[in-house]
Amino acid sequence: MCCSQRRRTLPLALSLLLLATAPPDPRFGVVESPEAPERAAELGIAWTRVRFAWNEIQPNGPEDWNPPWPAERLEAERQAGREIAALVLGTPVWARADPQVPGVPRGLYEEESRPENLWAAFLRRMATTYPYIRTWIIWNEPDIWDPAYPGYTWGGTEADFVRLLRVAYRTLKGLNRENRVLLGAFTYWWDAVYGRRPYFERFLETLNRDPEALRYDRYFDGLCVNLYFNPDSLYDLIRWHRERMQAHGFDKPIWLTETNAAPSEDPTWPVPHAMFRVALEEQAAFIGQATALALAAGAERLAVYKLIDNAGDRFANPEPFGLVREDGSLRPAFHAYRTAVQVLAGFTGARLVRRDRVTVVEVQKPDGRVWIAWSRTPRSESIILERRGTLRRAIDSMGNAVRVESVASHYRVELPGALCRQRVGTSCMIGGMPVYIVESALRPIREPR
């Protein structure tokens, strides 16, 4: 979903709503917070992914240098305490090995220190220009293979992509060992729906044939995934990526760098021929569900794509992904993400407890736990959850109080049914609005004698 951007000028003098005195949880992020920093502060997010497209920074030759972000905007992010993760992609035509093949730079197979390796030279300049950036995401969705699609940025082989990653890893680590290099996100679906073997599997097999990959820790410190619309597949595919790594003898952190369910029924941006029909309320429900399931699947960090719509999105994205509309008004999904960040900040673990007519995720916290539950059908569902401590609050994704029957051993709560604009099998693709039950002062679990 990465796209061409037109930068906004937003008033920075708006009053900020401070949601907590504690520092933000470093695991919750959003894509491109510099476009609306005051809204990022309201969300309470701690990191942001920003896009640096080589073909836009140096469109005509190596003498060009057109940074996509004003220096003061990035500095404002630093001052606000938000970590910046740089997404780097897009080879300009003049720097391509073959002008007809996107992505593969000229000189890629030269040593990183040689000026002929244009990719290494560009990364070196990027890292020295922005020395405070410590996380570098190398490329985005190389598994998109259709040249007619706007997100098609990689036409090289899997071996070329391994080499691209190797050069990036050795260059960035050579400048500063603290630099973190992440393998750019895969979509999975671009191969799956056409019956192709997943690119990630092909990448791993090619990586195994690289004689120096083990010496350099396989050229990446973690990998990214971009997953949309279906919360259940989000959980399953994060686990699938981990299982594929484990099958090849290693395991690395996974970041969910893009997720959302863009609404097709926003009156300010209706999408009459959307692939999935999604109401505004469903987008809000998805945010809570995706956050809970990403944590349960073991994602180390997650980010919603994207914070705010901009003028360029109507060309690049057929649907409105922003938590904030272009006019600055908030979609319900904004409130849903703010609730999730507030309630789940500081979590220590999460697990999927149940997934049938309802989904239940248990999130552990140092001072207690949070039950997150939602109906997966159009009907409301009454469920019983174990009680082990003091009920602190029960709310939905909008922060509204939810009625809970609380007795000594359990809670009973009614989960609202889903709007169910789209079905997957017998279930709704996006379930009903999640309910958060926050509990503290847990009693110890008694071991059976």
Side-chain angles (χ1 to χ4, degrees):
M1 298 296 175
C2 189
C3 60
S4 176
Q5 305 292 333
R6 184 181 300 173
R7 301 297 162 215
R8 306 172 53 88
T9 300
L10 294 175
L12 299 180
L14 296 176
S15 59
L16 303 183
L17 174 61
L18 300 179
L19 300 174
T21 57
D25 189 310
R27 293 164 291 193
F28 296 105
V30 73
V31 172
E32 301 197 338
S33 64
E35 290 199 326
E38 72 285 354
R39 295 304 191 189
E42 290 181 44
L43 284 174
I45 58 97
W47 72 279
T48 185
R49 193 197 76 183
V50 297
R51 177 178 179 272
F52 291 92
W54 184 10
N55 57 302
E56 296 173 7
I57 296 171
Q58 294 184 314
N60 301 309
E63 302 305 316
D64 286 350
W65 194 254
N66 307 310
W69 300 96
E72 61 270 20
R73 290 223 166 184
L74 298 184
E75 181 59 30
E77 292 300 297
R78 294 180 63 204
Q79 294 299 320
R82 286 187 288 273
E83 178 186 347
I84 297 171
L87 168 63
V88 189
L89 77 167
T91 307
V93 174
W94 66 266
R96 293 178 184 175
D98 180 342
Q100 304 304 313
V101 179
V104 184
R106 190 167 71 248
L108 184 62
Y109 287 85
E110 300 287 345
E111 284 299 310
E112 293 85 2
S113 60
R114 295 182 61 84
E116 294 88 348
N117 192 322
L118 302 181
W119 172 236
F122 173 70
L123 289 174
R124 196 173 297 112
R125 184 168 179 182
M126 283 289 296
T128 53
T129 301
Y130 305 102
Y132 49 85
I133 295 179
R134 286 286 177 266
T135 299
W136 299 88
I137 301 171
I138 305 304
W139 228 260
N140 191 64
E141 300 177 348
D143 50 342
I144 293 178
W145 47 263
D146 183 358
Y149 187 75
Y152 175 68
T153 62
W154 182 257
T157 66
E158 290 84 354
D160 291 333
F161 195 74
V162 168
R163 182 71 184 190
L164 185 89
L165 189 65
R166 169 199 161 101
V167 170
Y169 186 91
R170 284 167 50 99
T171 299
L172 293 167
K173 293 285 189 179
L175 291 170
N176 190 325
R177 292 300 301 175
E178 294 183 6
N179 281 333
R180 175 167 43 195
V181 178
L182 300 183
L183 171 61
F186 302 99
T187 73
Y188 178 84
W189 295 108
W190 267 88
D191 288 324
V193 297
Y194 291 96
R196 297 158 57 106
R197 288 190 63 229
Y199 193 101
F200 187 50
E201 287 189 341
R202 306 194 316 262
F203 166 82
L204 289 175
E205 291 172 359
T206 305
L207 187 65
N208 283 345
R209 295 193 289 271
D210 187 304
E212 291 195 296
L214 288 180
R215 178 184 173 189
Y216 292 102
D217 202 19
R218 295 181 171 86
Y219 308 132
F220 65 101
D221 300 308
L223 68 92
C224 304
V225 293
N226 295 344
L227 301 168
Y228 286 84
F229 289 104
N230 187 330
D232 287 332
S233 71
L234 181 151
Y235 174 85
D236 294 335
L237 287 173
I238 291 174
R239 291 171 58 87
W240 178 86
H241 280 83
R242 186 169 305 285
E243 289 164 359
R244 298 317 305 146
M245 287 190 288
Q246 292 171 342
H248 285 263
F250 70 99
D251 198 354
K252 293 179 183 286
I254 298 175
W255 288 25
L256 177 62
T257 42
E258 294 183 19
T259 194
N260 206 336
S264 59
E265 301 177 12
D266 187 324
T268 69
W269 187 339
V271 185
H273 305 296
M275 181 178 296
F276 300 114
R277 293 180 60 211
V278 178
L280 286 168
E281 180 182 327
E282 288 180 302
Q283 183 193 24
F286 172 90
I287 292 296
Q289 295 167 23
T291 300
L293 288 171
L295 301 187
E300 181 176 271
R301 293 196 186 189
L302 64 94
V304 174
Y305 180 89
K306 55 197 294 276
L307 179 56
I308 185 169
D309 296 327
N310 64 40
D313 288 342
R314 289 185 182 266
F315 166 76
N317 295 331
E319 299 144 310
F321 285 88
L323 300 176
V324 183
R325 298 181 181 91
E326 189 178 354
D327 64 8
S329 61
L330 305 180
R331 291 193 172 99
F334 180 94
H335 303 289
Y337 193 36
R338 181 171 61 184
T339 297
V341 171
Q342 284 185 294
V343 172
L344 302 178
F347 75 91
T348 57
R351 67 186 183 100
L352 178 63
V353 175
R354 177 179 172 184
R355 185 166 59 166
D356 41 61
R357 296 188 321 278
V358 303
T359 296
V360 178
V361 172
E362 181 188 23
V363 177
Q364 297 85 38
K365 301 190 72 175
D367 58 347
R369 66 175 170 181
V370 182
W371 290 114
I372 311 171
W374 61 90
S375 170
R376 299 177 70 228
T377 76
R379 300 182 302 276
S380 63
E381 299 281 354
S382 179
I383 63 167
I384 293 175
L385 300 170
E386 175 200 46
R387 175 179 175 178
R388 280 181 46 221
T390 301
L391 177 64
R392 309 305 298 183
R393 56 177 169 160
I395 57 175
D396 66 13
S397 286
M398 297 294 100
N400 301 315
V402 171
R403 184 176 178 275
V404 174
E405 177 188 331
S406 177
V407 297
S409 62
H410 68 268
Y411 305 107
R412 183 188 297 273
V413 62
E414 193 80 12
L415 304 175
L419 290 181
C420 216
R421 290 288 193 274
Q422 195 84 30
R423 284 185 175 270
V424 176
T426 59
S427 299
C428 304
M429 184 177 71
I430 300 173
M433 196 67 73
V435 168
Y436 298 86
I437 298 176
V438 183
E439 201 178 22
S440 65
L442 302 186
R443 296 185 298 273
I445 298 174
R446 291 185 178 182
E447 297 291 338
R449 293 185 177 181

